[in-house]
Amino acid sequence: AQSVSQHNHHVILSEAASLELGCNYSYGGTVNLFWYVQYPGQHLQLLLKYFSGDPLVKGIKGFEAEFIKSKFSFNLRKPSVQWSDTAEYFCAVRGGYSTLTFGKGTMLLVSP
Amino acid sequence: KAGVTQTPRYLIKTRGQQVTLSCSPISGHRSVSWYQQTPGQGLQFLFEYFSETQRNKGNFPGRFSGRQFSNSRSEMNVSTLELGDSALYLCASSWRVGQEETQYFGPGTRLLVL
């Protein structure tokens, strides 16, 4: 069975700091990888996704993620966070034709 | 295209009652999945429907059921509600091409069981 682990439950940063949220998954075959974001009071939105090809994927709002197959990782990065990035971030994986499995989420608080 | 819509947005029920939640997928999407989101457990998969057939089912008791109609709209039902069923119920629709599939989520229905 596939599983997803997000390294941090809570992250607090100051504006302009760099962000890296860790995500590791377990699945031996081909995977689809996703990062979703849930802003306060809003619904879950897709930030970026990886299916195949270039392991460095760019998403909306300046976010990017790198798929490292050998490490089973798909870490999310942003060079300079803003107060508006305060939200909960979810990593998700689908292995083969299975269902989507989510990590427990990382709550990011950006202080102005 | 309009996004995924869910009704109602908020619901208050008492223990023992039953509830039906509705989801309308993005036009053209034939797959609908349901999730339960709680602060302690995060997002947990309930079930997935494709062309009116349940394709996958999560580890939830039989009190949780669902169905999909010919127009791809989906409903989920929870019978004999328990306090622990209080949660945000999310619906997602998707379109699969080979092994590539992206789910798009609705705003959710927040259920409070008293």
Side-chain angles (χ1 to χ4, degrees):
Chain A
Q2 63 195 23
S3 65
V4 181
S5 174
Q6 292 186 236
H7 302 171
N8 307 95
H9 291 296
H10 295 90
V11 172
I12 302 174
L13 294 173
S14 299
E15 273 193 318
S18 64
L19 170 72
E20 181 160 3
L21 301 182
C23 173
N24 285 92
Y25 66 92
S26 67
Y27 187 80
T30 302
V31 289
N32 294 172
L33 296 160
F34 307 85
W35 276 97
Y36 286 87
V37 61
Q38 194 169 35
Y39 296 103
Q42 297 188 27
H43 64 279
L44 214 55
Q45 300 174 38
L46 180 68
L47 261 184
L48 47 78
K49 61 187 176 183
Y50 172 80
F51 290 152
S52 62
D54 189 344
L56 185 62
V57 292
K58 295 192 184 298
I60 60 171
K61 306 187 180 187
F63 287 91
E64 66 178 30
E66 184 176 14
F67 169 51
I68 302 179
K69 189 174 181 179
S70 61
K71 295 184 178 180
F72 298 90
S73 70
F74 190 56
N75 292 352
L76 180 70
R77 300 194 292 246
K78 186 171 184 178
S80 176
V81 294
Q82 301 173 309
W83 176 77
S84 58
D85 293 324
T86 293
E88 190 160 18
Y89 293 80
F90 295 90
C91 180
V93 62
R94 176 185 300 106
Y97 290 99
S98 68
T99 59
L100 195 60
T101 299
F102 283 85
K104 293 290 190 186
T106 297
M107 181 66 72
L108 171 65
L109 176 61
V110 180
S111 58
Chain B
K1 282 186 179 179
V4 178
T5 58
Q6 292 186 245
T7 56
R9 293 292 311 279
Y10 303 92
L11 209 46
I12 300 175
K13 293 285 188 179
T14 56
R15 280 180 300 174
Q17 287 187 309
Q18 76 160 11
V19 66
T20 299
L21 312 181
S22 180
C23 171
S24 292
I26 293 170
S27 177
H29 287 189
R30 294 168 64 190
S31 176
V32 172
S33 299
W34 289 89
Y35 297 84
Q36 182 194 65
Q37 185 179 19
T38 58
Q41 299 297 320
L43 279 138
Q44 293 187 286
F45 171 75
L46 281 157
F47 24 67
E48 178 189 15
Y49 287 88
F50 178 79
S51 292
E52 302 179 66
T53 301
Q54 187 178 86
R55 188 158 62 176
N56 284 294
K57 188 177 189 303
N59 190 26
F60 277 81
R63 300 185 297 106
F64 291 80
S65 63
R67 59 178 176 168
Q68 186 180 32
F69 302 95
S70 58
N71 61 358
S72 294
R73 190 177 69 85
S74 177
E75 289 182 347
M76 67 163 279
N77 184 277
V78 188
S79 62
T80 320
L81 284 166
E82 300 177 0
L83 295 179
D85 297 333
S86 295
L88 180 66
Y89 290 88
L90 296 172
C91 168
S93 76
S94 59
W95 174 263
R96 179 178 288 182
V97 178
Q99 290 190 19
E100 298 183 1
E101 180 177 351
T102 302
Q103 292 191 355
Y104 296 91
F105 286 80
T109 294
R110 188 164 296 279
L111 172 65
L112 177 62
V113 182
L114 301 174

